[in-house]
């Protein structure tokens, strides 16, 4: 699982596009944010192409799954409270399969 | 609502000692996962526990699952410095969604 940016710094309201690509032919893909003291929280997930659903903290985020290998996370108008470490993950077909995580993107919104 | 709680949150231990990290989850779920995260790194899968009574071991780490008590444990035997990391347990919400819930993590520091 690859995430193109390790560090990003953006200004409030400046659109952010976080890339996530997996080459394992996995059906399922996920986005998480990690914040100190809160662990990892699921933002969105996708069970297949064109099939997405909200996780626990979807507000302020959008996703799309137009092809199997690609699952970008979009922050249309980011705010400072979206400063976080973002992880993308993927898993194979079965429900509950182990997830494989990307390296993470540390986003700072000023 | 599925909740996953770990304790302790921080653990400092001497090399050679044994200790256990506990993971309680609040709704019925037949799967429990353990991950390791090194500082500044991503998460790495350690164990997948699929049923009541499941036990998995890898080196000095052993994980077990008791679905009746809704408890999983990660036992560390004769700790070494290389085990210093943050350990997360996670579980699925089995109510028809695909929400994957993580505990807040246990930061383990093994002192030489």
């Amino acid at each position: 699982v690859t995430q193109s940016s390790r560090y990003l710094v953006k200004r409030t309201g400046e659109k952010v596009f976080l890339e996530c690509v997996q080459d394992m032919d996995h059906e399922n893909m996920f986005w998480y944010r990690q914040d100190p003291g809160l662990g990892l929280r699921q933002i969105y997930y996708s069970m297949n192409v064109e099939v997405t659903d909200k996780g626990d903290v979807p507000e302020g985020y959008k996703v799309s799954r137009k092809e199997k290998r690609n699952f970008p996370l979009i922050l249309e108008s980011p705010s400072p409270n979206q400063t976080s470490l973002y992880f993308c993950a993927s898993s194979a077909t079965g429900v509950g399969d182990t997830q494989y995580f990307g390296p993470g993107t540390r986003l700072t919104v000023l | 609502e599925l909740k996953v709680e770990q304790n302790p949150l921080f653990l400092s231990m001497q090399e050679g000692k044994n200790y256990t990290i506990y993971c309680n989850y609040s709704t019925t779920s037949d799967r429990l996962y353990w991950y390791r995260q090194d500082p500044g790194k991503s998460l790495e899968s350690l164990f997948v526990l699929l049923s009541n009574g499941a036990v998995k071991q890898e080196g000095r780490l052993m994980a077990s699952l008791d679905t009746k008590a809704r408890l999983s444990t990660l036992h560390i035997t004769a700790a070494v410095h290389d085990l210093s990391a943050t350990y997360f347990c996670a579980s699925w919400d089995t109510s028809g969604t695909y929400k994957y819930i993580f505990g807040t993590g246990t930061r383990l520091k093994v002192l030489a």
Side-chain angles (χ1 to χ4, degrees):
Chain A
V1 180
T2 58
Q3 296 177 241
S4 57
S5 304
R6 292 302 306 275
Y7 301 93
L8 274 178
V9 179
K10 296 287 187 179
R11 297 190 182 280
T12 297
E14 185 180 1
K15 186 173 181 177
V16 177
F17 185 90
L18 299 181
E19 290 184 310
C20 175
V21 178
Q22 54 94 5
D23 62 1
M24 295 175 280
D25 200 33
H26 283 171
E27 298 285 337
N28 312 315
M29 296 187 75
F30 308 84
W31 275 104
Y32 297 91
R33 60 178 290 174
Q34 184 177 24
D35 302 290
L38 296 176
L40 279 87
R41 294 178 291 167
Q42 190 169 306
I43 304 171
Y44 268 95
Y45 59 93
S46 170
M47 295 295 104
N48 211 327
V49 175
E50 303 291 2
V51 180
T52 63
D53 207 346
K54 298 176 181 178
D56 279 334
V57 288
E59 295 78 18
Y61 304 94
K62 287 174 56 178
V63 292
S64 68
R65 185 100 181 267
K66 298 191 183 303
E67 54 182 16
K68 193 174 185 180
R69 63 193 299 267
N70 197 356
F71 188 44
L73 180 69
I74 302 159
L75 291 72
E76 293 277 4
S77 183
S79 60
N81 66 11
Q82 291 178 294
T83 292
S84 187
L85 178 58
Y86 290 88
F87 287 103
C88 178
S90 70
S91 69
T93 306
V95 172
D97 280 349
T98 297
Q99 296 194 11
Y100 295 87
F101 284 78
T105 296
R106 185 169 293 281
L107 172 67
T108 301
V109 182
L110 302 176
Chain B
E1 181 186 350
L2 177 66
K3 290 186 179 179
V4 178
E5 297 177 328
Q6 287 179 243
N7 70 85
L9 298 183
F10 299 97
L11 178 55
S12 180
M13 56 192 297
Q14 297 288 331
E15 277 194 331
K17 299 293 187 182
N18 304 332
Y19 210 85
T20 300
I21 300 171
Y22 298 89
C23 176
N24 290 90
Y25 53 98
S26 64
T27 64
T28 55
S29 176
D30 58 358
R31 295 168 189 255
L32 197 292
Y33 307 81
W34 285 96
Y35 290 85
R36 169 181 171 146
Q37 185 180 34
D38 292 302
K41 303 291 186 182
S42 187
L43 280 80
E44 173 190 357
S45 176
L46 290 174
F47 301 110
V48 180
L49 303 168
L50 300 179
S51 61
N52 188 42
V55 178
K56 296 272 184 84
Q57 183 161 6
E58 176 87 23
R60 301 174 187 274
L61 300 177
M62 183 174 71
S64 64
L65 179 63
D66 181 345
T67 57
K68 293 179 182 177
R70 300 178 185 172
L71 171 68
S72 180
T73 60
L74 181 66
H75 186 73
I76 303 156
T77 302
V80 293
H81 181 70
D82 285 352
L83 290 178
S84 297
T86 299
Y87 293 86
F88 292 93
C89 61
S91 189
W92 280 99
D93 178 351
T94 57
S95 63
T97 69
Y98 286 91
K99 289 186 181 179
Y100 197 85
I101 311 293
F102 280 83
T104 51
T106 296
R107 186 183 295 179
L108 171 66
K109 186 172 184 178
V110 181
L111 305 173

